[in-house]
Coordinates of all heavy atoms in Angstrom, one line a residue:
F4 N 1.6 -16.1 10.4 CA 1.1 -15.7 11.7 C -0.4 -15.3 11.7 O -0.9 -14.8 12.7 CB 1.9 -14.5 12.2 CG 3.3 -14.8 12.7 CD1 4.4 -14.3 12.0 CD2 3.5 -15.6 13.8 CE1 5.7 -14.6 12.4 CE2 4.8 -16.0 14.2 CZ 5.9 -15.4 13.5
K5 N -1.1 -15.5 10.5 CA -2.5 -15.2 10.4 C -2.7 -13.7 10.6 O -3.7 -13.4 11.3 CB -3.3 -16.1 11.2 CG -3.2 -17.6 10.9 CD -4.1 -18.4 11.8 CE -4.2 -19.9 11.3 NZ -2.8 -20.5 11.1
I6 N -1.9 -12.9 10.1 CA -2.1 -11.4 10.2 C -3.0 -10.9 9.1 O -2.7 -11.1 7.9 CB -0.7 -10.7 10.1 CG1 0.2 -11.1 11.3 CG2 -0.9 -9.2 10.1 CD1 1.6 -10.6 11.2
E7 N -4.1 -10.4 9.4 CA -5.0 -9.8 8.5 C -4.7 -8.4 8.1 O -4.2 -7.7 8.9 CB -6.5 -9.9 9.0 CG -6.9 -11.3 9.3 CD -8.3 -11.3 10.0 OE1 -8.9 -10.2 10.1 OE2 -8.9 -12.4 10.3
Y8 N -4.9 -8.1 6.8 CA -4.6 -6.7 6.4 C -5.5 -6.3 5.3 O -6.1 -7.1 4.6 CB -3.1 -6.6 6.0 CG -2.7 -7.6 4.9 CD1 -2.9 -7.2 3.6 CD2 -2.2 -8.8 5.2 CE1 -2.5 -8.1 2.5 CE2 -1.9 -9.7 4.1 CZ -2.0 -9.3 2.8 OH -1.7 -10.2 1.8
S9 N -5.5 -5.0 5.0 CA -6.3 -4.4 3.9 C -5.3 -4.2 2.8 O -4.4 -3.4 2.9 CB -7.0 -3.2 4.4 OG -7.5 -2.5 3.3
G10 N -5.6 -4.8 1.7 CA -4.7 -4.7 0.5 C -4.5 -3.2 0.1 O -3.4 -2.8 -0.3
S11 N -5.6 -2.4 0.1 CA -5.5 -1.1 -0.4 C -4.7 -0.2 0.6 O -4.1 0.8 0.1 CB -6.9 -0.5 -0.5 OG -7.6 -0.5 0.8
E12 N -4.6 -0.5 1.8 CA -3.9 0.3 2.8 C -2.5 -0.2 3.0 O -1.7 0.4 3.7 CB -4.6 0.4 4.1 CG -6.0 1.0 4.0 CD -6.7 1.0 5.4 OE1 -6.1 0.4 6.3 OE2 -7.8 1.5 5.4
L13 N -2.2 -1.4 2.5 CA -0.9 -2.0 2.7 C 0.3 -1.4 1.9 O 1.4 -1.6 2.2 CB -1.0 -3.5 2.5 CG 0.2 -4.4 2.9 CD1 0.4 -4.3 4.4 CD2 0.0 -5.8 2.5
Y14 N -0.1 -0.7 0.9 CA 1.0 -0.2 0.0 C 0.9 1.3 -0.1 O -0.2 1.9 0.1 CB 0.8 -0.7 -1.5 CG 1.1 -2.2 -1.6 CD1 0.1 -3.2 -1.5 CD2 2.4 -2.6 -1.7 CE1 0.4 -4.5 -1.5 CE2 2.7 -4.0 -1.8 CZ 1.7 -4.9 -1.7 OH 2.0 -6.3 -1.8
E15 N 2.0 2.0 -0.3 CA 2.0 3.4 -0.4 C 1.3 3.8 -1.7 O 1.3 3.1 -2.7 CB 3.5 3.9 -0.5 CG 4.3 3.7 0.8 CD 5.6 4.2 0.8 OE1 6.1 4.5 -0.3 OE2 6.3 4.4 1.8
K16 N 0.8 5.1 -1.6 CA 0.0 5.6 -2.8 C 0.7 6.9 -3.3 O 1.5 7.5 -2.6 CB -1.4 5.8 -2.4 CG -2.2 4.6 -2.2 CD -3.7 4.8 -2.0 CE -4.5 3.6 -1.8 NZ -5.9 3.8 -1.7
N17 N 0.3 7.3 -4.4 CA 0.8 8.6 -5.0 C 0.4 9.8 -4.0 O -0.8 9.9 -3.7 CB 0.2 8.8 -6.4 CG 0.9 9.9 -7.1 OD1 1.0 11.0 -6.6 ND2 1.2 9.7 -8.3
L18 N 1.4 10.5 -3.6 CA 1.2 11.6 -2.7 C 0.3 12.7 -3.3 O -0.3 13.5 -2.5 CB 2.5 12.2 -2.2 CG 3.4 11.3 -1.4 CD1 4.7 12.0 -1.1 CD2 2.7 10.9 -0.1
Y19 N 0.3 12.8 -4.6 CA -0.4 13.9 -5.2 C -1.9 13.6 -5.4 O -2.8 14.5 -5.1 CB 0.2 14.2 -6.6 CG 1.6 14.7 -6.5 CD1 2.7 13.8 -6.7 CD2 1.9 16.0 -6.0 CE1 4.0 14.2 -6.6 CE2 3.2 16.4 -5.9 CZ 4.3 15.5 -6.2 OH 5.6 15.9 -6.0
D20 N -2.3 12.4 -5.8 CA -3.7 12.1 -6.1 C -4.2 10.8 -5.4 O -5.3 10.4 -5.6 CB -4.0 12.1 -7.5 CG -3.1 11.0 -8.2 OD1 -2.5 10.2 -7.5 OD2 -3.1 10.9 -9.5
N21 N -3.4 10.3 -4.5 CA -3.7 9.1 -3.7 C -4.0 7.9 -4.6 O -4.7 6.9 -4.2 CB -4.9 9.3 -2.8 CG -5.0 8.4 -1.7 OD1 -4.0 8.1 -1.1 ND2 -6.2 8.0 -1.3
S22 N -3.5 7.9 -5.8 CA -3.6 6.8 -6.8 C -2.6 5.7 -6.5 O -1.5 6.0 -6.0 CB -3.6 7.3 -8.2 OG -2.3 7.8 -8.5
P23 N -2.8 4.4 -6.9 CA -1.9 3.4 -6.8 C -0.6 3.6 -7.6 O -0.6 4.2 -8.6 CB -2.6 2.1 -7.3 CG -4.0 2.5 -7.2 CD -4.1 3.9 -7.5
L24 N 0.6 3.3 -7.0 CA 1.9 3.4 -7.7 C 2.1 2.2 -8.5 O 1.6 1.1 -8.2 CB 3.0 3.6 -6.7 CG 2.8 4.9 -5.8 CD1 3.9 4.9 -4.7 CD2 3.0 6.1 -6.7
T25 N 3.0 2.3 -9.5 CA 3.3 1.2 -10.4 C 4.1 0.1 -9.6 O 3.7 -1.1 -9.7 CB 4.2 1.7 -11.6 OG1 3.5 2.7 -12.3 CG2 4.5 0.5 -12.5
N26 N 5.1 0.5 -8.9 CA 5.9 -0.5 -8.1 C 5.9 0.0 -6.6 O 7.0 0.5 -6.2 CB 7.3 -0.7 -8.6 CG 7.3 -1.3 -10.0 OD1 6.8 -2.4 -10.2 ND2 7.9 -0.6 -11.0
P27 N 4.8 -0.1 -5.9 CA 4.8 0.5 -4.6 C 5.5 -0.2 -3.5 O 5.7 -1.5 -3.6 CB 3.3 0.5 -4.3 CG 2.8 -0.7 -5.0 CD 3.6 -0.8 -6.3
H28 N 6.1 0.5 -2.6 CA 6.6 -0.1 -1.3 C 5.5 -0.4 -0.4 O 4.4 0.1 -0.5 CB 7.6 0.8 -0.7 CG 8.9 1.0 -1.4 ND1 9.8 2.0 -1.1 CD2 9.4 0.4 -2.4 CE1 10.8 1.9 -1.9 NE2 10.6 1.0 -2.7
L29 N 5.7 -1.3 0.6 CA 4.8 -1.5 1.6 C 4.5 -0.2 2.4 O 5.5 0.7 2.5 CB 5.3 -2.5 2.6 CG 5.2 -4.0 2.1 CD1 6.0 -4.9 3.1 CD2 3.8 -4.5 2.0
N30 N 3.4 0.0 2.9 CA 3.1 1.1 3.8 C 3.6 0.7 5.2 O 2.8 -0.1 5.8 CB 1.6 1.5 3.8 CG 1.3 2.6 4.7 OD1 2.0 2.9 5.7 ND2 0.2 3.4 4.4

């Protein structure tokens, strides 16, 4: 569908320090 997205915002991050998770779910 040609949906553009930001890779950094597309996945959930660590709630404590906002760092990337090892196996993140989609945001």
Side-chain angles (χ1 to χ4, degrees):
F4 289 116
K5 296 179 172 55
I6 296 174
E7 299 177 358
Y8 59 87
S9 170
S11 60
E12 298 177 359
L13 189 60
Y14 291 95
E15 292 182 346
K16 291 185 176 182
N17 193 309
L18 293 176
Y19 298 101
D20 59 9
N21 206 36
S22 62
L24 297 170
T25 304
N26 294 301
H28 290 168
L29 288 170
N30 181 332

